[in-house]
Amino acid sequence: MLWLSPWMRPLARVYCERLIDAGWEVVLVTSDRHPESDGARPYERVLDPRPKTAGTWPEFARELRHARSFRPDVVVTELVRDPRWIALAGPAPRVNLVHDDRPHGADEELPRWERRLFGRWNARAASTVAFSGFVAREIGASAVAPLTSDLDDALVPPVVPAADRRDFLAVGRLSAYKNLDVTLAAWERHASGPGWRGDELVLIGDGPDRDLGKAVRWRRGPYSYVQVTSDLAAAKGSVAHYRRATQSGVQVLAMQLGVVPIVSDAGALPEFQPPGEEPIGVDDVAGLARAFDALADPEAAARRGGAAREHYLRRHASTVSAAALGAELERVIATARLRENRLRP
């Protein structure tokens, strides 16, 4: 299998390594543009996905020769935006992975030429795989592999006990669709009421300036998982109460770490929630404040966080998701071989 993923390197690594464990021979072609990038692993080939930079072309030519010599049975493509990578895919049957049914905002809109070129190319894929039932229905996907976390299981700490639980976290690029105005209004109501236990709402990541209000701290700038994992694992709740969403990596990361994700009713967020953890309307300030009140009790946060972790292991663990993806890859290979046999004289 040849996996082409220029932008989602940590997540692609998780899937590739589970498939390698299952007996697949894998080559991942990726880039170092993701903040979590580090040295290449044995199955990785690292390219610079900037076609307008002349110095990237010799490197691409070498990788094209390597991809051709590998002769994969199936190719996986994920958020490919460099036209040269179409050549890397070659003639093998292709499975296209789709994370989102539409852009989250204007800043994610692609140029018209990209939509046209890659829209036609992706329409010719042998299979389209989505990471949620919601996205699958919206785009007419062939199969679903439930989204797993891109945090390697080896980096996951033990579930944090009640005595060590503190604060609520909102992690990631704090764009407009993250619905922070509603989150901050709900936090103000919680922090000014009888349910507040002295916690802070901690924002981690970049975003436009805003008034923060009471008991809110903002850790601006880029971050790595190593810098935030222990804080998130110790949180009473993780806020992913988005206005527009498909699914959320922050949501599954929280469950992986044994923390309750607090989500809106947008997109696939309800679909991923642990049993009993109900989504909250995107404009429901009072409902969100009540969620903060309930999880402010550290015993409740720890108990419900442990249940979220168990739900993650049953439904979203890397082995579970990779098995679903592997089954679709095998189906695509079998279909292609059957077609080849029929065409032989």
Side-chain angles (χ1 to χ4, degrees):
M1 178 191 69
L2 175 64
W3 189 302
L4 306 179
S5 181
W7 307 111
M8 305 293 288
R9 188 175 183 181
L11 185 61
R13 281 175 163 180
V14 168
Y15 282 109
C16 287
E17 290 176 10
R18 296 297 81 75
L19 290 169
I20 290 169
D21 291 344
W24 289 78
E25 184 180 0
V26 175
V27 170
L28 168 62
V29 182
T30 184
S31 80
D32 61 2
R33 298 296 161 184
H34 194 282
E36 294 294 317
S37 294
D38 53 20
R41 297 182 184 180
Y43 56 87
E44 283 186 307
R45 312 280 293 191
V46 183
L47 291 178
D48 187 330
R50 295 179 298 176
K52 294 182 180 179
T53 304
T56 67
W57 282 86
E59 176 186 55
F60 170 77
R62 288 192 298 271
E63 188 52 48
L64 181 60
R65 290 192 296 271
H66 181 269
R68 290 287 185 267
S69 66
F70 182 55
R71 297 173 62 87
D73 295 310
V74 66
V75 175
V76 174
T77 52
E78 183 179 27
L79 297 179
V80 170
R81 297 288 181 261
D82 183 339
R84 298 174 301 178
W85 288 44
I86 294 176
L88 287 177
R94 184 165 60 88
V95 174
N96 188 45
L97 305 185
V98 178
H99 289 257
D100 301 316
D101 63 311
R102 59 177 178 167
H104 290 123
D107 60 328
E108 295 187 8
E109 291 282 355
L110 299 175
R112 183 175 300 175
W113 72 265
E114 281 196 31
R115 295 199 302 271
R116 187 174 300 146
L117 172 63
F118 289 105
R120 287 197 299 263
W121 185 54
N122 288 327
R124 297 196 300 270
S127 172
T128 300
V129 173
F131 290 100
S132 68
F134 172 83
V135 173
R137 290 187 295 273
E138 292 295 306
I139 66 172
S142 313
V144 174
L147 184 67
T148 193
S149 171
D150 62 356
L151 177 66
D152 192 297
D153 286 335
L155 301 177
V156 176
V159 174
V160 174
D164 296 325
R165 296 274 176 158
R166 63 186 181 279
D167 299 334
F168 292 78
L169 269 61
V171 180
R173 290 179 301 152
L174 303 177
S175 306
Y177 81 91
K178 297 294 181 72
N179 206 25
L180 278 181
D181 290 342
V182 170
T183 296
L184 289 170
W187 181 258
E188 180 69 25
R189 183 176 297 199
H190 164 70
S192 301
W196 185 51
R197 300 285 187 100
D199 298 301
E200 289 185 309
L201 174 63
V202 184
L203 312 179
I204 301 177
D206 278 327
D209 292 335
R210 59 178 66 244
D211 294 329
L212 298 182
K214 178 181 179 180
V216 181
R217 178 161 46 94
W218 194 346
R219 288 166 51 180
R220 289 179 176 269
Y223 61 88
S224 66
Y225 276 142
V226 172
Q227 294 170 315
V228 302
T229 297
S230 59
D231 289 337
L232 183 54
K236 294 178 176 178
S238 173
V239 185
H241 189 261
Y242 303 154
R243 180 161 293 277
R244 177 184 292 183
T246 45
Q247 57 265 334
S248 170
V250 171
Q251 183 183 14
V252 293
L253 172 63
M255 294 189 293
Q256 182 189 28
L257 295 174
V259 175
V260 175
I262 304 171
V263 306
S264 75
D265 54 2
L269 300 178
E271 179 183 331
F272 285 8
Q273 279 295 84
E277 299 295 343
E278 297 299 321
I280 301 163
V282 294
D283 292 309
D284 188 355
V285 172
L288 188 52
R290 287 194 296 271
F292 290 139
D293 289 346
L295 284 168
D297 176 358
E299 295 291 340
R303 182 182 68 255
R304 292 165 59 185
R309 166 77 174 160
E310 291 302 315
H311 175 71
Y312 174 86
L313 293 174
R314 288 193 305 271
R315 298 288 300 275
H316 294 274
S318 59
T319 50
V320 174
S321 186
L325 178 58
E328 180 63 5
L329 296 175
E330 289 172 349
R331 185 193 69 79
V332 167
I333 292 170
T335 300
R337 287 176 177 168
L338 181 61
R339 185 179 298 113
E340 288 174 7
N341 290 337
R342 286 174 176 170
L343 292 175
R344 286 175 184 165

